[in-house]
Amino acid sequence: MLHLGRVKIQSVLDSSEFPCRLTLGLEGENASLSHEMSLGREPIYSGSEQLLRVSQRSNITASVGSVLIGLDYLLTLQTKEEGMVRTDLRIRLMLGNSSDRIHLVWQEREGWSVQVKGRNGSLALSKGRVAYEFIAHLAQGEVKISLTSKGVFSIAYTYRFTIGQGR
């Protein structure tokens, strides 16, 4: 990683997702901008063909008082028989504060969706699908009530305990 004032340059080789990744960023007091280019071949799984993937991701965030505003863009290309083909395109607008976020997302294959994330849960609405998760924090654990976008309802209790050194 290289910092030149408020400019940050980072390069990653031999990453698990992409063998080569270059990130350029610019950070200010109330705003930041980053752009990432990734290139590499997917790992080979049991004789499957190794595909070349190229990904571009841009992210802009700005804070106005206690409100955080963001715009995220993702484009992924992959080799196919007909050459490089777009496999993912996503644009996400974010509005939030330190604990709550609202995301308006457009994906090429799935269309529009709204995601609301807060301290105690999340809600996602998209065409024909609803998913939510509510978390109640207790003194020794938490209760999680959720419904996935595939219609699976679950209630889970997680108990937290610690093992420490006796005196």
Side-chain angles (χ1 to χ4, degrees), residues 89-104:
L89 176 61
R90 182 190 76 208
I91 299 171
R92 180 173 58 184
L93 180 63
M94 186 268 300
L95 183 65
N97 59 23
S98 61
S99 62
D100 303 316
R101 305 272 162 115
I102 299 171
H103 296 270
L104 180 60

Side-chain angles (χ1 to χ4, degrees), residues 118-122 133-146 155-160:
R119 195 175 291 125
N120 292 326
S122 64
E133 180 177 87
F134 172 74
I135 302 170
H137 300 281
L138 307 172
Q140 291 294 322
E142 64 186 27
V143 175
K144 186 184 296 186
I145 301 169
S146 62
I155 299 174
Y157 174 70
T158 305
Y159 179 77
R160 275 187 240 124

Side-chain angles (χ1 to χ4, degrees), residues 73-144:
Y73 168 82
L74 171 69
L75 171 66
T76 304
L77 304 171
Q78 184 170 309
T79 55
K80 299 274 185 181
E81 293 174 3
E82 55 271 6
M84 293 298 281
V85 177
R86 184 170 60 219
T87 58
D88 193 12
L89 176 61
R90 182 190 76 208
I91 299 171
R92 180 173 58 184
L93 180 63
M94 186 268 300
L95 183 65
N97 59 23
S98 61
S99 62
D100 303 316
R101 305 272 162 115
I102 299 171
H103 296 270
L104 180 60
V105 181
W106 179 82
Q107 289 183 294
E108 185 174 37
R109 292 183 177 167
E110 298 170 13
W112 290 97
S113 66
V114 175
Q115 301 166 353
V116 180
K117 296 180 181 183
R119 195 175 291 125
N120 292 326
S122 64
L123 172 68
L125 302 170
S126 61
K127 185 178 178 182
R129 294 183 179 174
V130 174
Y132 69 85
E133 180 177 87
F134 172 74
I135 302 170
H137 300 281
L138 307 172
Q140 291 294 322
E142 64 186 27
V143 175
K144 186 184 296 186

Side-chain angles (χ1 to χ4, degrees), residues 45-80:
Y45 298 106
S46 65
S48 66
E49 154 181 12
Q50 194 174 16
L51 303 172
L52 177 66
R53 287 180 36 196
V54 177
S55 176
Q56 288 184 40
R57 178 184 306 257
S58 297
N59 187 4
I60 301 169
T61 57
S63 56
V64 180
S66 63
V67 176
L68 185 65
I69 302 168
L71 179 65
D72 185 81
Y73 168 82
L74 171 69
L75 171 66
T76 304
L77 304 171
Q78 184 170 309
T79 55
K80 299 274 185 181

